Amino acid sequence: MAKHVIIEIDWDEWGLIVLGEERYNVKLDSFEGPLDLLLHLIKQAEVDIYDIPVAKITEQYMTYIHQMKELELDIASEYLVMASTLLAIKSQMLLPKQDVWADEDLEEWEAWPEEDPREALVAQLEVYRSYKQAATELMERQAQRDHFFSKAPSKITPSTEHRNESVNIESSLSEMLQAYQKLKWRLRVNRPRTTTVESQKWTIEEKMQSIRTRVFQSAQPISFLQMYTKGEVQEQVISFMALLQLMKENAVVCNQRGNFAAIYIQAREETNNE
Amino acid sequence: MNRDVALILETLLYVSGDEGLEVAHASDVLGIDRAMVTHELQKLASEFEREARALVILQFGSRFQMTTRPAFSDYVQAYASPPQRGKLSQAALETLAIVAYQQPVTRATIEDIRGVNADRAIATLAGKGLIEEGGRLKGAGRAILYETTARFLDVFHLSSLDDLPSITEDEEAEQLDLFSSGYRESWNEDG
């Protein structure tokens, strides 16, 4: 049944995809495998990991799988294996239980209470959960580490005499990768991170206006060198660009007698056409 | 002389920067044995601590590194805005945690625990120099055994593997239960 599903995709606080259009409360993708998804469902259902309501969780799990299918996501085989495991557990739990303790005819070794079919799965979830927790703690430690700063090694060639490994030219792929990572990191560290952005003090338009005014008021040609090459470099650049613009617009004419001679700016006749 | 050793080590720590000073290397340079170097470096570290110097000396396995004091990290950041280290994905972190606690460990064990394929996570971690091949499993297939590296200790601010945050006792017992060799064999036979 081909449905038009994705219109917009939202990201929830877990960084998981939430379907906006159909308002399914199903979070897709981004799970770290079937165990992660199961833990999520168990947490959402607010039940004890040791007493999973298998029927309910299985149903939710299957909904998730169907969502994946509809979205034409690649349903990894691991998810399907887990789905069949859940269904197997569910059907096992539906079977009527023999009350072994009441049956006195049974041999002692047979009179052992039936194993909870969920046991293996719970154990697996428990182990997975503890490593997930460990992963979180590692991440926190990594964040702590960011508060210690050290400098790059001093730029001296390490003495090969004491460094047996640097004599050895053979490197494994992983060593090369590590070296590359280190290099990338180093480049990032060395790159200057701050730059000063100043607000613009002068604009070309203003400068054009001031040159125009001066030029039209003056009967004599004005020396560009004297008038507009004072002040900060930035101001000079803007003045020069303003002058070029005025020339382009045929508002002024510039004369220069020879190389390096002073430049004189003159108003052009009947150009006040703004 | 003893004082000189400390001063020389401090000098070498400064020079080696974030590469860290390898005990073996320092031992060659100074011509004193490694245990002595380690001892001197640890002494120096606690001296820095006692005197509350601006710098601290951290240990990562057999490597020592001179760094700034975290109490002043705000000032460093205000001054230099250092780049953020790339964060590891959740998959990579989980895989790394398993390698850290179970090492040496095969890819199959990692996949059993996480329930998903671990190829990419392992490649990422090896590429970042956080895990490495630490030998091969005996027997058929000779599966690669993965271990964490010295760099792992550095990145996660651990002086040694003993420093790893403990996973609670119950879980640890269960984990032992689950991954005792007997269990693993039967699991493999099933699969």
Side-chain angles (χ1 to χ4, degrees):
Chain A
M1 184 165 92
K3 264 202 207 165
H4 197 72
V5 181
I6 307 182
I7 305 292
E8 76 179 296
I9 291 174
D10 294 331
W11 300 88
D12 73 356
E13 77 275 19
W14 297 83
L16 308 173
I17 298 173
V18 183
L19 290 178
E21 179 61 16
E22 298 219 328
R23 303 280 167 224
Y24 284 117
N25 194 22
V26 179
K27 294 163 179 179
L28 291 175
D29 217 9
S30 294
F31 284 105
E32 300 298 334
L35 290 169
D36 198 25
L37 170 58
L38 269 186
L39 276 183
H40 173 75
L41 294 175
I42 290 165
K43 196 178 152 200
Q44 208 176 38
E46 294 177 355
V47 291
D48 189 349
I49 189 172
Y50 296 104
D51 191 22
I52 305 170
V54 179
K56 187 180 169 192
I57 296 291
T58 303
E59 192 188 312
Q60 289 174 352
Y61 188 92
M62 295 315 286
T63 313
Y64 173 80
I65 297 281
H66 288 309
Q67 287 299 312
M68 284 177 105
K69 219 186 284 172
E70 266 177 43
L71 286 175
E72 289 171 28
L73 293 176
D74 180 29
I75 307 177
S77 55
E78 297 102 351
Y79 282 96
L80 298 176
V81 170
M82 181 56 75
S84 56
T85 307
L86 283 172
L87 291 170
I89 295 173
K90 186 180 159 189
S91 52
Q92 237 176 310
M93 290 184 78
L94 287 171
L95 291 175
K97 271 183 207 149
Q98 198 179 11
D99 191 352
V100 284
W101 296 110
D103 195 344
E104 284 168 15
D105 296 338
L106 282 173
E107 296 287 328
E108 200 186 323
W109 63 270
E110 279 179 300
W112 198 252
E114 238 178 290
E115 221 179 61
D116 188 331
R118 299 173 293 186
E119 205 173 309
L121 181 62
V122 170
Q124 207 183 355
L125 276 170
E126 190 54 44
V127 171
Y128 176 68
R129 192 168 68 169
S130 66
Y131 284 113
K132 228 172 125 64
Q133 179 56 36
T136 311
E137 284 177 37
L138 282 180
M139 200 167 65
E140 282 161 12
R141 293 197 69 93
Q142 190 183 16
Q144 281 172 26
R145 176 65 179 91
D146 287 345
H147 294 288
F148 294 82
F149 298 97
S150 45
K151 65 171 196 62
S154 301
K155 280 180 188 157
I156 48 177
T157 316
S159 59
T160 46
E161 205 183 319
H162 297 289
R163 275 211 151 180
N164 298 333
E165 70 255 35
S166 53
V167 182
N168 187 0
I169 296 172
E170 265 180 62
S171 297
S172 71
L173 182 63
S174 80
E175 279 170 334
M176 297 292 284
L177 275 169
Q178 281 175 41
Y180 176 67
Q181 291 278 352
K182 209 178 262 179
L183 176 77
K184 259 183 23 183
W185 168 244
R186 188 82 67 217
L187 284 175
R188 259 196 296 168
V189 172
N190 288 342
R191 194 184 306 150
R193 296 275 297 180
T194 51
T195 178
T196 314
V197 180
E198 280 179 16
S199 59
Q200 229 174 354
K201 287 187 197 157
W202 307 276
T203 67
I204 294 182
E205 287 71 25
E206 277 168 23
K207 282 287 165 194
M208 278 169 73
Q209 194 52 51
S210 84
I211 294 174
R212 206 185 265 129
T213 314
R214 280 202 73 97
V215 169
F216 281 103
Q217 279 170 358
S218 161
Q220 299 294 313
I222 294 168
S223 160
F224 177 74
L225 202 70
Q226 275 170 23
M227 292 308 304
Y228 299 111
T229 55
K230 302 202 170 64
E232 290 178 36
V233 177
Q234 248 178 318
E235 187 178 4
Q236 292 178 31
V237 171
I238 304 259
S239 294
F240 190 63
M241 283 165 72
L243 181 63
L244 290 177
Q245 189 62 33
L246 285 170
M247 286 167 73
K248 196 179 153 205
E249 288 176 6
N250 279 327
V252 297
V253 183
C254 291
N255 294 307
Q256 189 182 26
R257 289 199 180 151
N259 283 345
F260 312 112
I263 298 171
Y264 286 97
I265 315 166
Q266 248 178 316
R268 213 183 161 88
E269 309 295 315
E270 78 253 63
T271 47
N272 212 349
N273 53 2
E274 284 221 43
Chain B
M1 174 59 195
N2 223 13
R3 187 60 215 165
D4 279 356
V5 169
L7 290 175
I8 293 164
L9 287 172
E10 192 174 334
T11 306
L12 295 181
L13 277 169
Y14 170 76
V15 166
S16 61
D18 59 9
E19 293 284 339
L21 177 62
E22 177 67 48
V23 167
H25 193 179
S27 149
D28 286 351
V29 173
L30 284 160
I32 54 180
D33 72 78
R34 294 176 188 189
M36 186 69 176
V37 171
T38 308
H39 175 73
E40 286 295 329
L41 281 166
Q42 282 168 346
K43 226 170 72 184
L44 194 62
S46 45
E47 200 177 299
F48 269 51
E49 210 50 57
R50 199 171 53 244
E51 293 173 9
R53 301 247 196 115
L55 300 175
V56 292
I57 297 169
L58 303 179
Q59 180 178 4
F60 308 115
S62 62
R63 232 167 240 271
F64 287 78
Q65 199 184 98
M66 193 183 253
T67 74
T68 61
R69 195 166 281 282
F72 302 135
S73 75
D74 284 353
Y75 296 97
V76 179
Q77 272 158 342
Y79 172 75
S81 57
Q84 295 283 306
R85 274 177 195 275
K87 292 272 177 271
L88 287 171
S89 70
Q90 185 63 25
L93 268 173
E94 285 174 17
T95 305
L96 187 59
I98 294 167
V99 176
Y101 286 90
Q102 294 263 322
Q103 58 188 311
V105 67
T106 64
R107 199 192 68 195
T109 308
I110 297 169
E111 290 179 347
D112 280 352
I113 295 175
R114 292 194 54 234
V116 282
N117 182 292
D119 281 340
R120 258 185 62 195
I122 287 174
T124 305
L125 293 170
K128 289 188 183 295
L130 296 171
I131 63 171
E132 63 189 0
E133 188 181 323
R136 299 264 178 164
L137 202 65
K138 282 181 190 128
R142 310 216 330 111
I144 298 172
L145 289 164
Y146 293 99
E147 293 176 349
T148 53
T149 60
R151 190 175 149 68
F152 162 76
L153 296 175
D154 183 350
V155 170
F156 292 94
H157 193 42
L158 300 157
S159 55
S160 75
L161 288 173
D162 300 334
D163 242 20
L164 279 171
S166 72
I167 1 187
T168 63
E169 275 175 33
D170 283 354
E171 283 159 354
E172 224 160 19
E174 202 153 56
Q175 177 192 317
L176 277 175
D177 230 34
L178 254 179
F179 296 100
S180 60
S181 53
Y183 177 87
R184 218 180 300 173
E185 270 159 27
S186 69
W187 178 275
N188 286 342
E189 273 162 28
D190 291 345

